[in-house]
Amino acid sequence: MVLRRSRTRIAILTVGLLISFVLLGQLARAYAVQTTGITEGSQSTTPTQATSYTYSFTISREQLPALTYTEMTYIVRLGTVFNPVASVNGIPALRSSYQPSSGIFIFSSNQVGLAQINFISASTPTNISVQKASLKDNKAWAWSHGMDDNTNLQAQIDLIRAKGWRATLFMIGEAVSETRNEPDWIIDQPGLVELINAGWNIGNHSWSHACYGSASAAEVIDGQAVVERAVAASAHQERVVISFAAPCFDTDYVPIFDALRDGTTTLLVNELGSGSPALMNVDGTDVTVGEVTAVGVSSADYNLGRDTSIGRDTSAIQTFDWMATNAGPTKHFWFNTLTHGNNEAALGTVLNHAYRTYGPDGTNELWMAPEDEIYSYLLVRDRTTITGGELSVGGPVAFYWEYMPLVVR
Ligand SMILES: [Zn+2]
């Protein structure tokens, strides 16, 4: 009995020590990356004195339509602090990062309500500010790609998936078989289900590709049913189908789409093509540099243009380079592209450039995502409001630091 009790005590002590080590480790990492002149492996023998703080503000949101993606990224200028941790409505942030050199803390959450950022600082922070990020994870610019008309798309799908990226397929409903699985020449429901399960967007490209005088609401509604059938057969039945691409870029679909967008269907975006911008500034103002203009948009602009150059050549690379050169605090660009079947040669080159130069193998400034995810972000962003902003003092904190060449999570 005595032995058992002491074992329990040892177990409690061990757990307690482990928790202390974990907390100390986090502090040490936070401290280490913003400290210079410390030799690797060195350790302080006296505790550093600091104070714990909580910065609070309120996130509110207007009513949203049904959406798959409701995540928002926030930019918080904290200054020099240790170990910032965010929660909203008591729920931990989905992701966060802190850059000691700029003092900027970035976090993402799909929650609304009271946002709290806990941190430790050696001096009282001043002028803390919060703003919504123009794009998810505060990326500099975005690229979405769509592929139309069901056939000869597998090679392009494979190229995109090989990068770990996702895109959109716009399907002609009447051509989609529920059971055929011959992806070498046509994508049917089994292929769509696999892509939905991998986070791809499937869009509605009408029932029979009717255009130039034969556009109708039934074409949109019947095409929608086919995509929704694939979603229902997938492991992600919660996915909301918001994307439509008007066949032949036919503007006759504009009034039809507008009527169906108004709650009659879950559709929210029309990749119209004709007359709408494919290169956009999601911060709302037109940006012209040289021969190129990015048209200012918000989530109120739901008719998107479609750049078709990848079907012919690799000039999209110049557009990427333009976006990277001209991006800035009020210039966050979004480029939307389109290919049809057998366009894998140019797409492969464009993908490689994007990935190596601006993606995970490069600056990582590019947000490559399906159109529905990017549009959803803009919608959530535009309907989100930040109010208040208050700093409260927790109390004194003492910790030992230890140098480790680590990056804060
Ligand atoms: Zn088409």
Side-chain angles (χ1 to χ4, degrees):
M1 198 58 193
V2 172
L3 183 65
R4 176 169 289 184
R5 196 183 294 157
S6 72
R7 268 187 186 161
T8 310
R9 219 171 271 163
I10 288 167
I12 290 168
L13 271 172
T14 309
V15 168
L17 278 171
L18 277 172
I19 291 170
S20 306
F21 281 131
V22 167
L23 288 172
L24 281 171
Q26 283 181 353
L27 291 173
R29 271 175 226 135
Y31 190 87
V33 294
Q34 57 207 329
T35 306
T36 55
I38 296 172
T39 313
E40 184 170 351
S42 69
Q43 192 173 341
S44 66
T45 50
T46 53
T48 298
Q49 299 299 323
T51 307
S52 71
Y53 295 92
T54 301
Y55 186 74
S56 309
F57 58 95
T58 301
I59 298 169
S60 54
R61 188 162 292 152
E62 292 168 53
Q63 180 84 39
L64 291 170
L67 289 175
T68 307
Y69 303 97
T70 57
E71 202 177 296
M72 262 301 300
T73 301
Y74 303 88
I75 305 167
V76 190
R77 286 176 173 77
L78 286 176
T80 302
V81 303
F82 306 136
N83 202 35
V85 175
S87 67
V88 182
N89 200 26
I91 312 277
L94 297 165
R95 287 179 309 289
S96 66
S97 64
Y98 175 65
Q99 192 180 49
S101 58
S102 65
I104 291 175
F105 177 62
I106 290 166
F107 74 94
S108 296
S109 172
N110 54 17
Q111 299 291 309
V112 294
L114 182 67
Q116 292 187 299
I117 302 163
N118 298 309
F119 58 92
I120 291 163
S121 180
S123 59
T124 307
T126 53
N127 300 324
I128 294 176
S129 66
V130 186
Q131 68 183 95
K132 300 179 283 181
S134 294
L135 293 169
K136 186 178 165 187
D137 292 335
N138 199 29
K139 296 283 189 179
W141 49 276
W143 173 31
S144 55
H145 184 68
M147 288 167 278
D148 284 11
D149 299 347
N150 309 38
T151 53
N152 299 311
L153 299 172
Q154 190 62 45
Q156 295 177 75
I157 292 168
D158 291 345
L159 286 171
I160 293 167
R161 292 189 78 173
K163 298 281 191 262
W165 281 343
R166 296 168 290 122
T168 305
L169 291 197
F170 286 98
M171 305 303 291
I172 303 165
E174 71 172 358
V176 177
S177 157
E178 269 188 87
T179 54
R180 183 174 51 195
N181 195 7
E182 300 171 12
D184 283 350
W185 73 278
I186 191 166
I187 305 298
D188 288 293
Q189 186 167 305
L192 297 181
V193 166
E194 191 190 334
L195 290 171
I196 293 165
N197 290 345
W200 280 53
N201 182 30
I202 309 302
N204 169 0
H205 196 36
S206 82
W207 170 253
S208 72
H209 214 274
C211 56
Y212 303 140
S214 54
S216 70
E219 279 286 327
V220 183
I221 290 166
D222 295 347
Q224 184 77 357
V226 173
V227 181
E228 288 175 348
R229 189 183 70 197
V231 168
S234 79
H236 290 286
Q237 298 183 11
E238 76 285 359
R239 276 201 73 111
V240 183
V241 180
I242 69 168
S243 304
F244 176 72
C248 317
F249 297 179
D250 188 346
T251 54
D252 284 358
Y253 276 100
V254 170
I256 294 167
F257 182 85
D258 287 352
L260 295 172
R261 187 184 192 268
D262 204 14
T264 310
T265 65
T266 57
L267 289 169
L268 294 174
V269 185
N270 181 4
E271 292 208 16
L272 175 66
S274 306
S276 297
L279 178 60
M280 299 162 271
N281 173 20
V282 302
D283 292 335
T285 52
D286 289 7
V287 175
T288 301
V289 180
E291 307 274 288
V292 179
T293 295
V295 176
V297 297
S298 72
S299 61
D301 301 294
Y302 54 82
N303 288 318
L304 304 186
R306 316 183 77 190
D307 185 285
T308 58
S309 64
I310 300 172
R312 304 181 299 273
D313 57 45
T314 58
S315 60
I317 289 172
Q318 275 86 64
T319 307
F320 295 157
D321 295 345
W322 185 95
M323 289 191 283
T325 301
N326 297 301
T330 59
K331 292 179 278 185
H332 291 83
F333 304 115
W334 177 14
F335 187 42
N336 187 49
T337 57
L338 159 68
T339 54
H340 291 86
N342 298 319
N343 287 160
E344 55 270 17
L347 181 66
T349 306
V350 169
L351 280 167
N352 285 338
H353 181 83
Y355 193 90
R356 288 177 192 154
T357 312
Y358 305 116
D361 278 0
T363 57
N364 212 17
E365 69 193 77
L366 160 63
W367 181 25
M368 171 61 165
E371 163 251 277
D372 68 329
E373 187 172 358
I374 297 173
Y375 181 79
S376 296
Y377 185 89
L378 300 184
L379 194 57
V380 174
R381 181 198 71 176
D382 292 350
R383 295 190 181 187
T384 298
T385 305
I386 296 168
T387 49
E390 192 181 329
L391 184 67
S392 59
V393 181
V397 186
F399 62 97
Y400 295 87
W401 55 260
E402 178 187 356
Y403 177 72
M404 282 178 283
L406 290 174
V407 177
V408 174
R409 68 193 181 97

